[in-house]
Amino acid sequence: MAHWTIPFKSVNGTDYVVRILGADEDTELIGSAEPITTQEDDNDDLFTPDRTQSGYVRFVDSTGDTWQKILPSSALSRYVELIRGGTIVWQGYIKPESYGCEYGVAPQSRGFPIHCALSVLASFDYEPNGDIITFGTLLYQLLSKAYIRFANVYLPNDMAHTWLTKKVNCFNFLDYDEDE
């Protein structure tokens, strides 16, 4: 699959590439002053179950119509990777939202809001099939829905193996009737 790329150097000289999948042909874009910024949920509550990330990817639209080609049509249509030295260091999606800009002005800096691959899971409903599976399998099914490319999932303590091998009844809540 072709992609748009935004190569840039960090302040300390490290080479990075932002890659947005879904282009008709490989296209290199010119990054804005800050080609990508991300921030993590900084809630002070130590018991917050996940720390999602959001931010922006920015580029100079020299033709005035590139932004229209990049617009996402769904939650999963514009996958974004930040790559350093051939390694993916961040992954997520462009948010499918309403976008505004000055029409017919080129060149113009464009910014698209992005969110981490974990955040995109809020776009889906989990459809259990009633099977009894391990928690690890359930976690894998959920993360795979967002096409998350992961090598490791880190859990907070040495009980991870025990947690991942516990059985879970994926009861089909769609057929559940409280009166029965």
Side-chain angles (χ1 to χ4, degrees):
M1 180 179 286
H3 49 268
W4 294 276
T5 57
I6 306 170
F8 68 97
K9 285 189 182 291
S10 68
V11 174
N12 65 0
T14 305
D15 289 324
Y16 285 90
V17 175
V18 174
R19 187 165 51 188
I20 304 169
L21 275 64
D24 293 331
E25 60 185 45
D26 287 341
T27 306
E28 186 172 299
L29 303 173
I30 299 167
S32 295
E34 291 184 305
I36 188 168
T37 55
T38 60
Q39 64 185 29
E40 187 171 274
D41 175 9
D42 61 355
N43 186 328
D44 290 337
D45 182 0
L46 294 175
F47 296 105
T48 300
D50 56 13
R51 301 287 178 171
T52 57
Q53 299 172 341
S54 60
Y56 283 87
V57 61
R58 298 177 188 89
F59 63 94
V60 176
D61 187 351
S62 56
T63 63
D65 66 349
T66 303
W67 70 276
Q68 293 172 337
K69 297 173 187 170
I70 298 176
L71 283 175
S73 59
S74 70
L76 296 174
S77 64
R78 292 292 179 250
Y79 176 74
V80 177
E81 296 173 332
L82 177 60
I83 301 166
R84 179 185 61 222
T87 302
I88 298 171
V89 294
W90 190 90
Q91 58 185 333
Y93 294 88
I94 294 178
K95 290 182 177 183
E97 296 181 349
S98 297
Y99 299 98
C101 65
E102 292 184 52
Y103 184 73
V105 176
Q108 187 176 157
S109 182
R110 309 281 185 184
F112 288 100
I114 56 176
H115 57 168
C116 68
L118 188 59
S119 297
V120 81
L121 291 176
S123 304
F124 301 101
D125 289 328
Y126 178 68
E127 298 174 15
N129 60 10
D131 291 343
I132 296 177
I133 58 175
T134 65
F135 180 72
T137 301
L138 176 63
L139 185 61
Y140 178 80
Q141 288 175 355
L142 292 171
L143 295 178
S144 295
K145 256 190 159 341
Y147 306 111
I148 296 174
R149 300 174 188 178
F150 56 90
N152 298 299
V153 174
Y154 295 97
L155 297 174
N157 63 32
D158 58 354
M159 296 285 296
H161 183 267
T162 304
W163 291 359
L164 293 174
T165 56
K166 292 288 184 192
K167 298 285 185 174
V168 178
N169 184 359
C170 291
F171 185 77
N172 190 340
F173 292 102
L174 301 176
D175 293 336
Y176 178 70
D177 185 354
E178 278 188 36
D179 295 334
E180 291 182 5

